[in-house]
Amino acid sequence: MMAFEQQEEFLASLIQKCPNTRLLHQIHSHLLKCNLPIPSKFFTLNKLLVSALSPIIGDIDYARRIFSQMPNPNIFTWNTMIRGCSQIQNPTTEPIIMFQKLIQRGYPSPNSFTYAFVIKSCAVISGFIEGRQIHSYVLKSGFPSSPFVQTALVNLYAKCEEIGFARKMFEEIPDKNLVAWSTIISGYARIGLVNEALSLFREMQSAGVRPDEVTMVSVITACASSGALDLGEWVHKFIEKRVIKVDLELSTALVHMYAKCGCIDRARKVFQEMPEKDTKAWSSMVVALAIHGLAEEALEVFSRMLEANVKPNHVSFIGVLSACAHSGLVSQGQRYWSSMLECGLEPLMEHYGCMVDLLCRAGLIEEAYKFVEDMPIKPNPIIWRTLLVGCTRKGILDEGDFIAGRLLELEPLNPENYVLLSNLYAATCQWGNVSFVRKKMKENGIQAIPGCSSIEIDGFVHEFVVSDRSHPEANEIREVLRDMADRVRSVGHDPWTSAVLHNVDDEEKENSLCEHSERLAIAYGLLKTISPTVIRVVKNLRVCADCHEVTKIISKVYKREIIVRDRVRFHRFLDGACSCNDYW
């Protein structure tokens, strides 16, 4: 008979090589039958627990059963369970509940790993309140200076988009390592503060910390979110110069960045040069082509993905359905919807949203409404807003009024909902109702989200809001605006004052149109750059009809290519035409 130490080593070796839960169960059964001393049995149960939670097996239910059989689990065991529960496919508050049970028991005491693991689980679910509570435990326990815990807190606050807290924790880390720098840069990138993210990236280099592919993904994400192509190209060259490993994730981030910066040709080139492409890479390319209005090409890439035996995921179908929506391909979109169901993919809210958008853009409001009514899941506010916009375009007041009511029940304090309802009334000349909606907003302290556009010049992102006069070069921008207005008027364009949904005179409407944020950004681009530099603008809202028409004219009279990324898609203006073919 084997000595106890030999049995322990033998079982540990078997567990380490175990490829599935069935064999783990057999070892577990043997362990319960054999007469191992309690320390050896406990050691082996811990090994079983680690294996059950490993990426190869990942059986959380079995892990819970093992844990329940351990009468006095040590801190390693607790840490293993807390960490394992935070890595399951659909994260929950279970790791936080386990941590609370550990605290209530009073033994064993949590260590720095415990705090780091549970804080990470808060970050996974964006649990800001829970994270703050655990942060208070950290301060009481004497672990506030642990770099491991501090970095976890930076990650928590960054994931919850509480960047002020994240920055404060970051500054308190005495020896900032690569993970800490990457985490804070990612936090700024997440909320679109590209100038701050790039500034930290430069600080990181000055501190002598060499970036890796994870850092570069964060930096490239920052460039993508703000449409900062020049910075993105500089980062790409930096990667090549420093011979940073370009893995699948980094390559996909580059595809995404070039696409989001309006440079679809460069996105294609990076994609084509990838030695291997996984589902995420293929899906990114499909989505990139879709948002650029290149529907046929997006669908062709999707077909090649299937031919390469790469299984599509939810994002892949969001891409193809969006492509169909942006080009009015109703029958094709309906076929892809059926294809997704045949693939066994359960539609997410985003997919339902794409189908509603597809039908509404094609003017099929009744069909879209029936589709929403037949949905097996409760429609979210985005879907109701899509329907409301469709009703506004078609001037359908009664159904639009009803849909707005449903929307306000779900989100009574969202300013966008009131603006859309006001737009519906204005589009149908219900000026009394427009005044009532605006009065209601004022009474409830609700303010409309202002249009905001940004443009990158010489590596710095400049932002403008409607009628903005805060820019240091505001006077020069106004001179360009006047020149733009004169040139546009000289070719016979009459401002589409119907796009201004306020009950004011035409002159005031015309002045309002001239100071929309995208026109300010375009004016600044004309002021600071010369042909053939492409003017690239990013806007937080949808481009209005008059600005769309005016930008087409500007592209022709100034002989400039202008690319505008609005909230929904890209518009490439060149020689008086737009890539969307006026369907957006």
Side-chain angles (χ1 to χ4, degrees):
M1 189 171 178
M2 280 190 212
F4 291 139
E5 293 81 2
Q6 289 176 307
Q7 283 194 65
E8 183 183 297
E9 289 175 12
F10 175 69
L11 289 173
S13 174
L14 277 180
I15 292 167
Q16 196 170 3
K17 297 173 185 176
C18 235
N20 55 52
T21 308
R22 185 177 60 82
L23 289 174
L24 273 187
H25 285 171
Q26 290 177 359
I27 297 168
H28 193 176
S29 177
H30 173 75
L31 176 66
L32 295 174
K33 291 175 184 176
C34 69
N35 192 26
L36 277 176
I38 290 176
S40 296
K41 189 172 287 188
F42 187 81
F43 171 83
T44 311
L45 280 171
N46 265 328
K47 289 286 184 182
L48 278 169
L49 184 66
V50 171
S51 186
L53 292 167
S54 69
I56 296 172
I57 296 175
D59 191 336
I60 186 67
D61 290 330
Y62 181 47
R64 291 188 188 106
R65 289 201 299 274
I66 296 170
F67 184 74
S68 67
Q69 292 174 12
M70 304 171 79
N72 292 300
N74 60 18
I75 195 58
F76 173 84
T77 313
W78 280 96
N79 289 349
T80 302
M81 275 303 295
I82 291 170
R83 186 182 192 184
C85 290
S86 66
Q87 293 173 333
I88 59 178
Q89 190 171 8
N90 297 307
T92 64
T93 57
E94 185 176 0
I96 301 164
I97 293 168
M98 289 200 69
F99 173 79
Q100 290 169 340
K101 287 179 180 176
L102 173 62
I103 295 296
Q104 289 165 3
R105 285 168 60 112
Y107 181 83
S109 298
N111 59 21
S112 59
F113 291 100
T114 319
Y115 287 114
F117 293 154
V118 74
I119 291 167
K120 184 179 179 182
S121 73
C122 292
V124 169
I125 62 167
S126 298
F128 175 68
I129 294 173
E130 295 89 343
R132 290 289 285 170
Q133 290 171 346
I134 291 164
H135 190 173
S136 69
Y137 278 117
V138 170
L139 295 172
K140 292 172 186 174
S141 66
F143 289 101
S145 59
S146 163
F148 196 37
V149 175
Q150 286 174 314
T151 303
L153 285 166
V154 173
N155 179 57
L156 163 72
Y157 292 131
K159 289 282 178 66
C160 294
E161 299 187 0
E162 296 285 346
I163 202 64
F165 287 115
R167 186 62 179 264
K168 183 176 184 297
M169 291 308 309
F170 175 75
E171 297 297 347
E172 290 179 7
I173 302 175
D175 297 313
K176 301 173 180 67
N177 61 15
L178 176 60
V179 176
W181 280 103
S182 297
T183 302
I184 192 65
I185 291 170
S186 175
Y188 278 100
R190 173 183 288 270
I191 57 175
L193 295 176
V194 62
N195 293 328
E196 291 80 354
L198 268 294
S199 175
L200 280 163
F201 179 61
R202 294 185 186 104
E203 280 185 47
M204 174 184 172
Q205 293 174 76
S206 299
V209 179
R210 183 180 174 85
D212 65 357
E213 60 271 21
V214 176
T215 319
M216 302 316 297
V217 167
S218 297
V219 176
I220 286 172
T221 301
C223 297
S225 66
S226 61
L229 179 63
D230 290 346
L231 286 169
E233 288 180 323
W234 177 84
V235 172
H236 194 177
K237 288 173 185 172
F238 179 90
I239 291 167
E240 293 173 340
K241 186 178 177 182
R242 294 295 181 92
V243 199
I244 294 172
K245 179 187 175 186
V246 182
D247 59 9
L248 251 174
E249 187 172 0
L250 184 50
S251 295
T252 303
L254 285 166
V255 170
H256 178 70
M257 182 272 291
Y258 280 122
K260 292 287 275 185
C261 290
C263 199
I264 194 66
D265 291 338
R266 290 294 299 276
R268 279 195 202 96
K269 186 173 184 295
V270 173
F271 178 75
Q272 288 164 1
E273 291 175 352
M274 291 173 68
E276 60 174 318
K277 303 176 183 75
D278 63 358
T279 299
K280 187 176 179 182
W282 281 101
S283 300
S284 293
M285 195 67 232
V286 171
V287 171
L289 293 163
I291 61 174
H292 279 267
L294 301 168
E296 296 297 336
E297 193 175 344
L299 302 182
E300 192 267 330
V301 168
F302 182 72
S303 295
R304 281 168 39 208
M305 175 184 179
L306 299 180
E307 289 168 6
N309 292 319
V310 177
K311 188 176 180 181
N313 62 8
H314 286 100
V315 176
S316 317
F317 279 101
I318 287 173
V320 293
L321 293 173
S322 297
C324 294
H326 290 315
S327 298
L329 305 175
V330 177
S331 58
Q332 289 95 320
Q334 290 170 331
R335 284 201 299 271
Y336 282 111
W337 175 265
S338 299
S339 175
M340 179 177 67
L341 299 178
E342 288 166 7
C343 286
L345 287 172
E346 190 73 26
L348 302 177
M349 193 67 75
E350 291 85 350
H351 300 105
Y352 287 106
C354 286
M355 286 301 292
V356 174
D357 189 36
L358 170 69
L359 296 168
C360 284
R361 285 177 189 274
L364 304 172
I365 309 302
E366 294 295 336
E367 194 172 334
Y369 185 77
K370 186 178 185 308
F371 182 86
V372 172
E373 289 290 290
D374 292 341
M375 282 172 55
I377 56 176
K378 189 176 180 181
N380 69 359
I382 295 172
I383 287 177
W384 289 117
R385 275 194 286 273
T386 304
L387 274 175
L388 183 54
V389 169
C391 290
T392 302
R393 285 179 187 159
K394 298 288 285 185
I396 305 172
L397 179 61
D398 290 340
E399 282 191 2
D401 220 353
F402 174 75
I403 289 163
R406 299 286 292 270
L407 185 54
L408 290 170
E409 284 176 15
L410 292 172
E411 289 184 338
L413 299 177
N414 187 338
E416 187 178 0
N417 300 336
Y418 289 89
V419 171
L420 290 177
L421 178 57
S422 176
N423 290 350
L424 171 69
Y425 290 143
T428 51
C429 297
Q430 304 285 315
W431 298 113
N433 286 336
V434 170
S435 298
F436 175 78
V437 171
R438 294 177 185 273
K439 182 183 176 184
K440 201 75 176 170
M441 290 177 70
K442 191 173 181 180
E443 288 173 355
N444 294 330
I446 298 169
Q447 292 186 334
I449 300 168
C452 177
S453 297
S454 63
I455 183 171
E456 179 200 21
I457 302 291
D458 296 330
F460 191 84
V461 177
H462 300 258
E463 292 188 344
F464 300 90
V465 294
V466 62
S467 303
D468 197 344
R469 294 178 184 270
S470 63
H471 196 278
E473 297 173 89
N475 292 334
E476 293 87 342
I477 292 169
R478 285 297 176 296
E479 287 181 19
V480 178
L481 277 177
R482 283 190 287 272
D483 184 62
M484 282 167 50
D486 290 342
R487 293 205 198 190
V488 168
R489 200 177 293 112
S490 70
V491 299
H493 173 71
D494 288 324
W496 295 7
T497 51
S498 60
V500 180
L501 302 175
H502 301 282
N503 191 18
V504 295
D505 61 45
D506 282 351
E507 184 180 353
E508 194 171 340
K509 287 183 177 183
E510 186 175 342
N511 291 336
S512 173
L513 287 169
C514 287
E515 299 210 348
H516 277 190
S517 63
E518 61 266 50
R519 296 203 201 181
L520 293 168
I522 290 169
Y524 192 60
L526 290 170
L527 175 68
K528 304 301 289 187
T529 67
I530 58 173
S531 184
T533 304
V534 178
I535 295 173
R536 301 174 190 276
V537 174
V538 176
K539 184 173 182 180
N540 67 330
L541 303 176
R542 185 174 178 269
V543 175
C544 80
D546 189 69
C547 285
H548 190 269
E549 189 64 22
V550 166
T551 307
K552 287 198 295 184
I553 297 169
I554 292 170
S555 73
K556 187 168 187 175
V557 298
Y558 283 90
K559 294 181 171 58
R560 298 294 292 273
E561 181 180 350
I562 303 170
I563 295 177
V564 178
R565 182 180 110 199
D566 69 11
R567 186 171 64 178
V568 178
R569 60 167 295 158
F570 278 87
H571 300 265
R572 181 173 178 259
F573 299 93
L574 185 64
D575 197 27
C578 179
S579 59
C580 75
N581 295 316
D582 297 337
Y583 186 93
W584 87 98

